[in-house]
Amino acid sequence: MIRKSIRTSTRKEAIEITSMVEEEIKGIKNGIAIIYVPHTTAGVIINEAFDPAVAEDILNELSRLIPYSDKYKHLEGNADAHIQATLTGSSVMIPIESGRLLLGRWQGVFFMEFDGPRNREFYIKVIKE
Ligand code: ZN
């Protein structure tokens, strides 16, 4: 299990971490990489990495759907972030084939910050076939 640290710089942010994952699968021919985020107000997704506007649109629409203020019972002031993290999920799994992540041409892996800026972490678990 590999632990990675990341520093986010705004409250809502999508940080591409594909190269950090690729770094950790070097020497693995076939298997599975699991990327896991151990936070309640951050998540991880796979989506388009070619046009940065896509990640921006995802963040903007999540903020529109789940606004900062609503009739939330959680009084810490970050209920929106908890719900957004629930929608994105805490882990993704990517097959490793012939030494590379089996991502589609336009796909990348993003750490999704919903209540930054903070020091964050995520884990990469590689299971060899
Ligand atoms: Zn909270």
Side-chain angles (χ1 to χ4, degrees):
M1 181 85 85
I2 302 131
R3 180 174 173 269
K4 292 285 192 183
S5 295
I6 200 169
R7 173 75 196 168
T8 61
S9 56
T10 58
R11 183 152 196 268
K12 310 280 183 194
E13 189 175 3
I15 299 174
E16 195 189 349
I17 56 171
T18 312
S19 60
M20 293 173 85
V21 179
E22 283 169 341
E23 194 65 36
E24 301 304 335
I25 64 147
K26 280 183 180 161
I28 312 289
K29 197 162 190 306
N30 296 299
I32 297 173
I34 299 168
I35 298 93
Y36 171 68
V37 171
H39 299 292
T40 60
T41 55
V44 61
I45 64 165
I46 296 173
N47 214 291
E48 177 166 335
F50 181 74
D51 180 2
V54 174
E56 207 175 312
D57 284 341
I58 292 169
L59 283 174
N60 288 342
E61 287 300 293
L62 284 172
S63 292
R64 191 181 60 82
L65 289 167
I66 318 293
Y68 177 72
S69 293
D70 206 338
K71 290 170 184 162
Y72 302 126
K73 291 184 176 173
H74 181 57
L75 298 176
E76 199 192 0
N78 63 357
D80 62 327
H82 287 289
I83 297 165
Q84 288 160 358
T86 301
L87 292 178
T88 59
S90 310
S91 67
V92 295
M93 249 193 314
I94 308 169
I96 302 163
E97 283 292 326
S98 305
R100 57 173 297 269
L101 293 173
L102 199 62
L103 288 169
R105 183 177 177 190
W106 309 112
Q107 283 183 318
V109 186
F110 293 87
F111 182 96
M112 301 297 284
E113 173 64 83
F114 297 116
D115 194 27
R118 293 186 195 224
N119 292 313
R120 295 292 204 175
E121 58 189 34
F122 63 93
Y123 292 94
I124 302 169
K125 176 86 179 175
V126 178
I127 300 167
K128 293 181 199 173
E129 193 174 291

